[in-house]
């Protein structure tokens, strides 16, 4: 099977496993796990932030970010397809008691002008607008990337209106590799950033939340009450350290593989359109066949993928898909008759 369902499916490489097994660990709730401490310092420095918090999942780091950036009754602005809204089980409401203002972005990318229009006036009727959250790359938008210039405008508006900014950067390294922009330039636009190590970077578990020292001290208290205080987490942090050192540049290869598969799909009669492939995610609109049926047909031919809506399928390339498997997938798709 060529498994293109998600970039979370990767398993540690033998080299990563070696690093895990030889990790120096301690009790992280006591702040005594040297491998966790090293990871937190390293990832914070990469984005020019003061501090970082190693978390279980990017859902957890997003949820903690929303909690530390808001107070109950505040409002969060994000795109209608944002992961924090759509795929985190209503956590914003349950964990932080905030309301959400959903914007209709271009493939999930909201603009400074849209945000400006949706900031509530200071009036007792309205929730207080407090946080703007954007996602890069945008999963629902087919892994598309934000323009840094637009993000700088967003930051200006937020600073001018006393709003906090959060980046759901589960796949930020895919965006940076695709655009050639620097982590520091992106880091300076946000109060908090959530980064996932268990997607394209290929670590088994883990995410990080970045922010100021004060914000991360607060975040550490929130993580504790979410049940996320962990002990010898260094075994997992070791994998994330390894991924940061070895698995960033190679994301280029995932993007090439996605682009090849996307080009091949676009030519097939059962596909109406492929959303332009910018990184490692391919979203294809089906033609004359339901997405669910197409996914079953793909599976019968040895390719696993997801339905993304009733008319769309999603395929994702990652570390565990070799160039040979990509070529096989292209051959299979080219030969498929429906
Ligand atoms: C996957 C994903 C998350 C959540 O990551 P988990 O580690 O699976 O909890 C958050 N945001 C985006 C954009 C994602 O794609």
């Amino acid at each position: 099977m060529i498994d293109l369902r998600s970039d979370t499916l990767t398993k540690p490489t033998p080299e990563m496993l070696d690093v895990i097994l030889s990790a120096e660990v301690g009790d992280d709730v006591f702040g005594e796990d040297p491998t966790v401490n090293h990871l937190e310092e390293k990832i914070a420095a990469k984005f020019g932030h003061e501090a970082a918090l190693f978390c279980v999942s990017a859902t957890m780091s997003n949820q903690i970010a929303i909690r530390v950036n808001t107070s109950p009754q505040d409002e969060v602005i994000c795109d209608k397809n944002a992961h924090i809204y759509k795929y985190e089980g209503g956590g914003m409401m349950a964990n932080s008691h905030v309301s959400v203002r959903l914007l209709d972005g271009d493939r999930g990318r909201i603009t400074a002008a849209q945000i400006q229009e949706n900031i509530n006036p200071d009036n007792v009727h309205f929730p207080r607008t407090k946080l703007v959250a954007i996602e890069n790359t945008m999963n629902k938008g087919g892994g598309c990337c934000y323009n840094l210039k637009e993000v700088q405008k967003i930051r200006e508006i937020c600073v001018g209106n006393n709003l906090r900014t959060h980046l759901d950067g589960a796949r930020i390294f895919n965006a940076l590799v695709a655009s050639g922009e620097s982590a520091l330039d992106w880091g300076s636009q946000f109060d908090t950033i959530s980064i996932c190590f268990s997607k394209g970077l290929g670590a088994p578990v883990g995410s990080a939340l970045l922010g100021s020292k004060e914000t991360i001290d607060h975040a550490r208290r929130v993580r504790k009450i979410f049940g996320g205080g962990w002990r010898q987490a260094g075994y997992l942090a070791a994998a994330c350290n390894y991924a940061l050192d070895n698995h960033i540049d190679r994301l280029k290869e995932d993007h090439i593989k996605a682009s090849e598969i996307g080009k091949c799909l676009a030519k097939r009669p059962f596909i109406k359109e492929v959303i332009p492939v910018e990184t490692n995610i391919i979203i294809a609109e089906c033609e004359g066949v339901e997405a669910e049926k197409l996914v079953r047909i793909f599976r019968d031919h040895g390719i696993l993928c997801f339905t993304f809506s009733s008319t769309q399928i999603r395929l994702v390339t990652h570390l565990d898909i070799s160039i040979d498997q990509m070529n096989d997938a292209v051959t299979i798709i080219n030969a498929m008759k429906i």
Side-chain angles (χ1 to χ4, degrees):
M1 279 289 178
I2 302 170
D3 199 340
L4 299 168
R5 287 173 301 165
S6 175
D7 48 4
T8 54
L9 295 161
T10 54
K11 298 196 180 127
T13 60
E15 296 80 10
M16 186 182 273
L17 277 176
D18 279 347
V19 172
I20 292 172
L21 287 175
S22 58
E24 207 187 319
V25 299
D27 192 327
D28 180 50
V29 174
F30 293 3
E32 289 177 5
D33 190 304
T35 309
V36 171
N37 293 342
H38 176 62
L39 174 68
E40 290 177 343
E41 283 160 25
K42 183 154 78 180
I43 188 75
K46 223 176 179 47
F47 286 83
H49 280 222
E50 282 175 3
L53 182 67
F54 186 40
C55 297
V56 172
S57 67
T59 301
M60 180 183 268
S61 44
N62 277 334
Q63 289 298 316
I64 293 173
I66 293 160
R67 176 73 162 251
V68 299
N69 283 316
T70 62
S71 304
Q73 291 179 260
D74 286 344
E75 188 156 88
V76 177
I77 294 180
C78 65
D79 181 77
K80 66 183 193 304
N81 282 319
H83 195 284
I84 56 165
Y85 170 71
K86 209 173 169 95
Y87 297 115
E88 299 188 5
M92 266 199 269
M93 174 275 296
N95 295 322
S96 300
H97 303 179
V98 289
S99 72
V100 189
R101 183 78 145 248
L102 296 177
L103 307 187
D104 190 9
D106 165 34
R107 291 167 64 194
R109 291 165 299 192
I110 57 179
T111 64
Q114 281 178 305
I115 291 165
Q116 178 81 68
E117 277 167 28
N118 283 280
I119 299 171
N120 287 332
D122 186 7
N123 175 310
V124 72
H125 292 90
F126 307 124
R128 266 202 194 101
T129 309
K130 183 64 74 62
L131 172 66
V132 171
I134 71 165
E135 188 175 313
N136 200 29
T137 68
M138 178 68 196
N139 174 28
K140 251 320 212 192
C144 60
C145 303
Y146 262 89
N147 180 315
L148 180 58
K149 290 224 166 62
E150 191 64 33
V151 173
Q152 286 161 340
K153 277 195 229 160
I154 291 174
R155 175 68 173 175
E156 258 174 51
I157 283 175
C158 290
V159 169
N161 288 277
N162 223 1
L163 308 183
R164 313 265 297 174
T165 51
H166 173 67
L167 173 64
D168 179 352
R171 295 189 180 84
I172 185 62
F173 286 112
N174 291 89
L176 295 179
V177 163
S179 68
E181 289 156 358
S182 82
L184 288 175
D185 283 345
W186 273 81
S188 59
Q189 309 305 320
F190 299 94
D191 294 298
T192 51
I193 302 180
S194 158
I195 294 167
C196 192
F197 298 112
S198 64
K199 292 199 165 148
L201 293 183
V205 171
S207 76
L209 181 65
L210 278 51
S212 68
K213 184 169 181 312
E214 189 186 354
T215 300
I216 296 304
D217 284 348
H218 183 188
R220 199 173 289 279
R221 299 186 77 92
V222 174
R223 187 187 67 173
K224 184 68 182 161
I225 64 165
F226 284 0
W230 42 3
R231 306 296 180 177
Q232 287 74 32
Y235 291 114
L236 298 168
C240 301
N241 274 316
Y242 182 87
L244 281 179
D245 293 341
N246 297 281
H247 289 171
I248 294 179
D249 288 341
R250 65 151 304 285
L251 291 170
K252 280 191 204 103
E253 186 189 308
D254 293 344
H255 299 175
I256 293 168
K257 288 181 287 196
S259 159
E260 291 301 314
I261 293 171
K263 274 191 259 175
C264 146
L265 278 169
K267 291 192 207 125
R268 304 298 296 147
F270 46 86
I271 298 296
K272 186 163 157 196
E273 174 188 21
V274 175
I275 295 180
V277 177
E278 294 184 27
T279 53
N280 68 327
I281 299 178
I282 307 144
I283 296 181
E285 188 78 33
C286 309
E287 174 85 62
V289 55
E290 278 172 15
E292 227 168 89
K293 182 157 179 223
L294 192 57
V295 165
R296 274 203 306 277
I297 297 171
F298 268 71
R299 192 180 58 210
D300 293 344
H301 285 78
I303 297 174
L304 295 180
C305 61
F306 263 164
T307 58
F308 218 37
S309 73
S310 59
T311 60
Q312 289 177 321
I313 60 169
R314 189 190 80 165
L315 304 90
V316 185
T317 57
H318 52 77
L319 183 59
D320 287 0
I321 296 294
S322 65
I323 295 279
D324 283 349
Q325 282 175 305
M326 174 208 78
N327 285 326
D328 289 349
V330 166
T331 307
I332 293 167
I333 294 166
N334 277 332
M336 260 169 58
K337 294 203 175 59
I338 288 178

